[in-house]
């Protein structure tokens, strides 16, 4: 794999999402986990890279549309292509998703027509990581307003359905362990736990340091935070082929951040107290550090207050302050 470039992997969410899933073993694992319930039907060697960018003309201008990640599925020694498979990552419900998927698939078929008269099937998987219910239709006509269209014409309108739709939070821990073998297991585990408000407690699945870095990058991108940036920087100092687990790297990282936050809180409060600052200022400084801890870890408010040594008697006050932030 090409040398990791931090400016690239932290540039856009789309690019970050591609890096982990672009690995054939992870892409194959996603297909096997969702489509074949964990059976190892798709082998990494059956996958080949393909272009994810397509173009269309609108308003006299050429526009590009880019899939998150796509692979050609092949068979045999001659690598005969039997399908194009794309994966789209979603963190929020999108009422226009059926139209988007239809566009991606149509572009793939259109490209095939420029190369050959024989078409192979195109399949798009939509993987939904969000905690909200997906209340939008997965069919194109479910998001199309046909109220003013004559009834005789309505049955003639072609529909398009997202058939391969998978919601991470629908999986149990037992199903997760059965279905996924790669770093994608940890990604799914992270969202299953955090979507219900739990702290993230990773399983001791063995992964390379490189895969853990790619995983943390994707967790950052899909959650919309930079919570794991410091851990990624620390891991960059290690051998990328070293085998370890998230259970080994996460506690050390969290403890370092919390120790630093606690030290900064103590020092800042002490400095302000020596300048005869008010009780309100002390409370504000402590609250600000609590907010910092909660935004960069998966700890609960009580867990963060444990690490800052906040007395039980003062906790209701700080919980109220957090609500007002």
């Amino acid at each position: 794999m090409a040398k990791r470039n931090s400016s690239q992997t932290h540039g856009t969410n789309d690019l970050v999402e591609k890096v982990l899933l672009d690995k054939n073993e992870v892409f194959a694992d996603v297909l096997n986990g969702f489509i074949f319930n964990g059976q190892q039907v798709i082998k990494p060697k059956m996958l080949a890279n393909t272009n994810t960018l397509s173009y269309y003309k609108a308003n006299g201008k050429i526009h590009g549309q880019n899939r998150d990640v796509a692979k050609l599925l092949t068979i045999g020694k001659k690598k005969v292509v039997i399908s194009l498979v794309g994966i789209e990552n979603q963190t929020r419900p999108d009422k226009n998703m059926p139209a988007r998927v239809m566009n991606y698939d149509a572009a793939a078929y259109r490209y095939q027509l420029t190369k050959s008269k024989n078409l192979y099937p195109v399949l798009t998987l939509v993987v939904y990581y969000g905690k909200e219910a997906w209340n939008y239709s997965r069919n194109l006509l479910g998001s199309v307003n046909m109220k003013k269209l004559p009834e005789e014409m309505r049955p003639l309108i072609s529909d398009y359905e997202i058939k391969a739709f998978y919601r991470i939070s629908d999986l149990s821990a037992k199903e997760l362990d059965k279905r996924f073998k790669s770093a994608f297991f940890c990604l799914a585990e992270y969202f299953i736990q955090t979507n219900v408000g739990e702290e993230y407690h990773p399983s001791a699945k063995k992964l390379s340091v490189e895969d853990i870095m790619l995983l943390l990058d994707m967790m950052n991108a899909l959650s919309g935070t930079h919570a794991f940036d410091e851990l990624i920087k620390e891991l960059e100092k290690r051998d990328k082929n070293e085998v370890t687990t998230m259970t080994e790297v996460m506690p050390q990282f969290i403890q370092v951040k919390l120790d630093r936050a606690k030290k900064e809180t103590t020092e800042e409060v002490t400095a302000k107290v020596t300048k005869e600052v008010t009780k309100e200022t002390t409370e504000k400084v402590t609250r600000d550090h609590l907010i910092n801890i909660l935004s960069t870890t998966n700890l609960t408010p009580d867990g963060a207050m444990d690490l800052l040594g906040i007395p039980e008697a003062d906790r209701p006050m700080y919980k109220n302050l957090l609500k007002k932030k």
Side-chain angles (χ1 to χ4, degrees), residues 224-282:
T225 72
H226 292 283
F228 301 108
D229 282 357
E230 290 186 41
L231 177 53
I232 293 168
K233 289 178 182 177
E234 286 300 313
L235 289 173
E236 284 176 337
K237 301 173 185 176
R238 295 165 68 163
D239 181 349
K240 305 301 183 289
N241 296 315
E242 176 189 343
V243 175
T244 184
T245 67
M246 290 286 282
T247 56
E248 185 269 322
V249 300
M250 286 293 291
Q252 295 180 26
F253 161 67
I254 292 174
Q255 192 58 52
V256 167
K257 288 182 70 69
L258 294 172
D259 287 346
R260 184 189 306 131
K262 186 173 182 179
K263 181 174 182 291
E264 289 173 354
T265 300
T266 303
E267 290 176 348
E268 193 168 348
V269 170
T270 301
K272 289 183 181 292
V273 168
T274 58
K275 295 180 181 179
E276 298 182 344
V277 296
T278 63
K279 180 173 178 286
E280 288 75 17
T281 303
T282 302

Side-chain angles (χ1 to χ4, degrees), residues 82-96:
I82 60 172
S83 179
L84 182 147
V85 184
I87 299 175
E88 297 301 313
N89 300 302
Q90 282 295 118
T91 57
R92 294 182 179 85
D94 182 355
K95 67 178 181 180
N96 295 318

Side-chain angles (χ1 to χ4, degrees), residues 111-279:
Y111 176 79
Q112 290 183 55
L113 287 171
T114 66
K115 301 296 181 180
S116 171
K117 293 181 180 180
N118 298 316
L119 301 179
Y120 48 77
V122 177
L123 171 63
T124 298
L125 285 73
V126 175
V127 182
Y128 177 51
Y129 301 86
K131 61 182 177 181
E132 301 174 60
W134 188 287
N135 291 323
Y136 295 122
S137 174
R138 298 176 201 169
N139 290 66
L140 178 65
L141 295 188
S143 57
V144 173
N145 185 355
M146 296 199 295
K147 292 180 180 178
K148 297 182 179 180
L149 191 68
E151 288 189 15
E152 293 81 0
M153 295 179 66
R154 295 178 191 179
L156 304 178
I157 304 299
S158 298
D159 201 357
Y160 202 85
E161 179 184 1
I162 303 174
K163 292 186 176 181
F165 180 92
Y166 304 99
R167 185 174 183 239
I168 292 292
S169 291
D170 288 339
L171 298 174
S172 66
K174 185 176 180 180
E175 285 181 300
L176 200 63
D177 190 54
K178 173 187 174 184
R179 289 172 181 258
F180 303 105
K181 314 299 178 186
S182 72
F184 187 83
F185 170 95
C186 298
L187 182 69
E189 181 181 58
Y190 172 77
F191 282 99
I192 287 173
Q193 293 179 15
T194 57
N195 279 351
V196 294
E198 295 179 0
E199 294 178 20
Y200 176 43
H201 296 289
S203 300
K205 184 172 287 293
K206 293 186 181 297
L207 300 171
S208 69
V209 167
E210 180 184 55
D211 279 355
I212 290 178
M213 289 193 297
L214 296 178
L215 171 65
L216 294 171
D217 257 333
M218 195 163 176
M219 286 161 62
N220 269 348
L222 292 176
S223 63
T225 72
H226 292 283
F228 301 108
D229 282 357
E230 290 186 41
L231 177 53
I232 293 168
K233 289 178 182 177
E234 286 300 313
L235 289 173
E236 284 176 337
K237 301 173 185 176
R238 295 165 68 163
D239 181 349
K240 305 301 183 289
N241 296 315
E242 176 189 343
V243 175
T244 184
T245 67
M246 290 286 282
T247 56
E248 185 269 322
V249 300
M250 286 293 291
Q252 295 180 26
F253 161 67
I254 292 174
Q255 192 58 52
V256 167
K257 288 182 70 69
L258 294 172
D259 287 346
R260 184 189 306 131
K262 186 173 182 179
K263 181 174 182 291
E264 289 173 354
T265 300
T266 303
E267 290 176 348
E268 193 168 348
V269 170
T270 301
K272 289 183 181 292
V273 168
T274 58
K275 295 180 181 179
E276 298 182 344
V277 296
T278 63
K279 180 173 178 286

Side-chain angles (χ1 to χ4, degrees), residues 14 21 243 269 276 285 289 321:
D14 286 344
L21 293 180
V243 175
V269 170
E276 298 182 344
V285 171
H289 282 290
L321 288 174

